[in-house]
Amino acid sequence: MTIASIMLAAGHGTRMKSALPKVLHPILGKSLVLHALSAVENVVDIPPVVVVGHGAEDVQTAIQAGAKHEVHFAVQEPQLGTGHAVMCARELLQGKSEQLIITFADMPLLTQASIERIIQLRQESQSVMVITTVMSEEPRGFGRVIRAEDGSVIAIVEEVDCTPEQLLVREKNTSAYCVDANWLWKSLDGLKPSSKGEYYITDLVAMAVAEGKRVSAHILEDPVEGLGINDRVDLADTERALRMRINRDWMRQGVTFIDPWSTTVGLDVSLAQDVVLQPNTMLYGNTSIGKNSVIGPNTTLIDTQVGENCHIQYSVAESAQIANHVTMGPFARLRKGAVLKDYVHIGNFGEVKDSVLGEGTKMGHFSYIGNADIGKDVNIGAGTITCNYDGKEKHHTQIGDNAFIGSDTMLVAPLKIGKNATTAAGAVVNRDVPENTLVIGVPAKPKERKD
Ligand code: UD1
Ligand code: CA
């Protein structure tokens, strides 16, 4: 049976108290509506329809920029409730599918597996409509699911309309539906406005039952899937729940988290077996960590690839590449284009940008290396600086294998230092240094070694 989907994203989101439309608020760097789309986009036979209204243009632009597949849009103006929002998709979808999935853009943690489950349940149970629910000790704010004595679902009643008895019901409506499309398009016209003048999608349940049709409920095993975002407290709770879902997945795949509650692993990060993440570690973007590497505590890596057996602590790296057996930190910083080869060591207060540090090179303390190519087994003394910027342009520094750069050397680029060369402590080097040569002084000059 062909499947289409409608996602509601037109509401005001007043309780967010924000200039940004609610569904564009991000969790783990991705907007709520894009999270919500990922549960349906691989299930449908035709492009999902998103109903936009409040902030329509911004919402549409953000979806077009971020969605993996084609998405169509219906506009709801004015916003007269969730039932009315579905009516606005009629032109695009009536007659196009046999079943419809209806979800809300403010429910980012609902999974594709649950959507597949309600599709299956509708067929098995011969229902016109399947609703999703959660059993909750705190159903406040949600529509309550009313069942008959035999357990069958007979209505969803919005909290404002609940009798005192209905308010005690613990089963709440989480707003993901699978419906018979023909029945839906026929029945929508029968919806009556509520006391607030809104058309409620939830009223369809009682309508179906009155027609003698069956409505079934799928109780979500993981209540986290039913989290809906109305305000910023929900936003923070939901982000934490997503973080824990991701972290648990990685733990099951062989990654150790010393303190999962303080550790953030982004959606596109990949981690190898026996990686250890220490507290307060944050991994974002296209970051990957190889086998046995220990990251953290207090480390942020963005779009950075780390190899095997590395140890990185109290450090920050962005758009960097780190090979194997590298040790870094505490308090090191890699910026765009930093490449550290095997066995590099960067100690406290080292900064590297647009530079390659060759295998075994050591940079223990207080150094800045920018726009440089540094060979193997180079020693970069404390306080070394590549003076790469003359106020207008960046210049390049090249240092050969086994060179020894003395403490507090200023390397005034453009500059080439040959293999096995040495710069004395405090040298200001503004001329190229040949291989096997010691330079000393300000400005630095070659000197025969007599000692
Ligand atoms: C809705 C349900 C309630 C359920 C709860 C679960 C109704 C009447 N009530 O209530 O039973 O327990 O969700 O989270 O459906 N929207 C539109 N157009 C509108 C109104 C809303 O597109 O005119 C969209 C919003 O952008 C949002 C979603 O629908 O994504 C839900 O709207 P919201 O106002 O948050 O509904 P609830 O009051 O939470
Ligand atoms: Ca809501």
Side-chain angles (χ1 to χ4, degrees):
M1 276 208 271
T2 49
I3 301 175
S5 74
I6 302 177
M7 179 172 296
L8 308 194
H12 267 272
T14 331
R15 287 166 279 181
M16 293 299 281
K17 304 211 166 112
S18 176
L20 188 68
K22 174 168 85 176
V23 299
L24 295 188
H25 278 263
I27 59 172
L28 277 190
K30 178 166 152 182
S31 65
L32 299 179
V33 64
L34 289 177
H35 279 284
L37 265 174
S38 66
V40 292
E41 62 192 350
N42 295 315
V43 174
V44 288
D45 299 304
I46 56 177
V49 170
V50 177
V51 181
V52 293
H54 179 71
E57 244 174 70
D58 292 345
V59 175
Q60 223 164 307
T61 309
I63 291 173
Q64 270 156 348
K68 292 210 181 83
H69 305 278
E70 192 183 352
V71 174
H72 292 168
F73 297 94
V75 178
Q76 184 195 22
E77 194 59 63
Q79 289 96 44
L80 298 178
T82 50
H84 177 249
V86 175
M87 293 175 202
C88 296
R90 185 196 288 272
E91 254 180 65
L92 282 172
L93 287 178
Q94 187 163 16
K96 298 275 167 63
S97 75
E98 291 158 286
Q99 337 189 49
L100 267 172
I101 299 294
I102 302 172
T103 56
F104 286 7
D106 63 358
M107 281 183 55
L109 300 191
L110 188 72
T111 60
Q112 181 174 321
S114 292
I115 299 289
E116 285 164 347
R117 178 69 196 119
I118 61 174
I119 294 168
Q120 189 192 15
L121 177 61
R122 204 183 72 79
Q123 275 153 19
E124 285 168 8
S125 64
Q126 305 271 304
S127 302
V128 278
M129 182 168 186
V130 172
I131 67 172
T132 52
T133 70
V134 161
M135 303 306 294
S136 168
E137 288 309 307
E138 264 288 322
R140 232 181 319 140
F142 286 79
R144 305 296 204 278
V145 177
I146 310 302
R147 291 179 183 258
E149 288 204 337
D150 67 357
S152 61
V153 175
I154 51 174
I156 297 172
V157 181
E158 290 309 297
E159 187 169 79
V160 286
D161 302 320
C162 278
T163 62
E165 211 170 80
Q166 288 171 332
L167 280 177
L168 299 176
V169 170
R170 292 278 169 264
E171 187 173 12
K172 62 186 194 183
N173 170 34
T174 53
S175 293
Y177 310 96
C178 179
V179 289
D180 176 311
N182 285 332
W183 177 81
L184 174 85
W185 298 123
K186 190 166 54 88
S187 308
L188 277 177
D189 294 331
L191 285 180
K192 304 263 176 340
S194 71
S195 48
K196 289 200 291 178
E198 292 195 356
Y199 296 88
Y200 290 165
I201 192 174
T202 43
D203 288 347
L204 289 171
V205 175
M207 274 173 67
V209 172
E211 290 171 22
K213 305 226 151 60
R214 187 196 298 272
V215 175
S216 301
H218 170 56
I219 303 175
L220 296 169
E221 270 155 46
D222 181 2
V224 151
E225 286 198 46
L227 288 175
I229 290 165
N230 292 323
D231 62 20
R232 301 204 198 214
V233 176
D234 299 332
L235 190 71
D237 288 345
T238 307
E239 170 147 336
R240 188 180 49 195
L242 175 59
R243 250 174 30 212
M244 287 307 294
R245 178 191 276 178
I246 293 171
N247 293 354
R248 280 195 206 100
D249 276 353
W250 284 118
M251 287 185 247
R252 293 191 182 105
Q253 289 181 55
V255 174
T256 295
F257 285 67
I258 302 303
D259 181 28
W261 302 275
S262 74
T263 306
T264 302
V265 177
L267 296 153
D268 300 320
V269 168
S270 77
L271 305 173
Q273 211 172 303
D274 292 315
V275 162
V276 177
L277 301 182
Q278 298 275 1
N280 279 322
T281 292
M282 281 157 246
L283 308 177
Y284 297 111
N286 175 32
T287 290
S288 61
I289 314 286
K291 269 192 240 164
N292 298 317
S293 285
V294 179
I295 313 294
N298 293 63
T299 293
T300 300
L301 306 180
I302 304 163
D303 295 325
T304 291
Q305 287 78 53
V306 179
E308 301 179 359
N309 300 295
C310 293
H311 188 191
I312 301 176
Q313 50 173 328
Y314 297 88
S315 292
V316 176
E318 179 161 8
S319 302
Q321 283 175 44
I322 299 170
N324 306 308
H325 302 279
V326 168
T327 53
M328 184 170 140
F331 315 118
R333 180 176 183 206
L334 302 184
R335 290 162 55 204
K336 177 184 69 69
V339 177
L340 310 186
K341 304 286 194 187
D342 291 353
Y343 295 99
V344 163
H345 167 68
I346 297 189
N348 42 285
F349 308 108
E351 175 182 342
V352 179
K353 184 217 68 166
D354 269 328
S355 298
V356 179
L357 269 60
E359 199 177 314
T361 285
K362 309 235 172 326
M363 175 175 159
H365 338 262
F366 309 104
S367 296
Y368 170 60
I369 298 295
N371 303 86
D373 266 310
I374 298 185
K376 292 183 193 169
D377 297 315
V378 172
N379 183 79
I380 298 169
T384 296
I385 289 175
T386 50
C387 309
N388 60 333
Y389 186 50
D390 60 11
K392 289 195 191 105
E393 280 175 66
K394 299 282 166 62
H395 300 283
H396 191 255
T397 300
Q398 192 180 320
I399 300 179
D401 297 347
N402 295 305
F404 184 95
I405 309 300
S407 294
D408 203 23
T409 296
M410 299 296 118
L411 300 161
V412 183
L415 190 67
K416 278 188 187 153
I417 308 252
K419 287 185 189 168
N420 300 308
T422 302
T423 69
V428 175
V429 187
N430 58 2
R431 298 260 164 84
D432 289 353
V433 178
E435 294 182 5
N436 303 307
T437 304
L438 165 73
V439 294
I440 187 164
V442 180
K445 297 197 174 105
K447 180 155 185 190
E448 284 287 309
R449 276 196 106 123
K450 296 205 180 86
D451 50 1

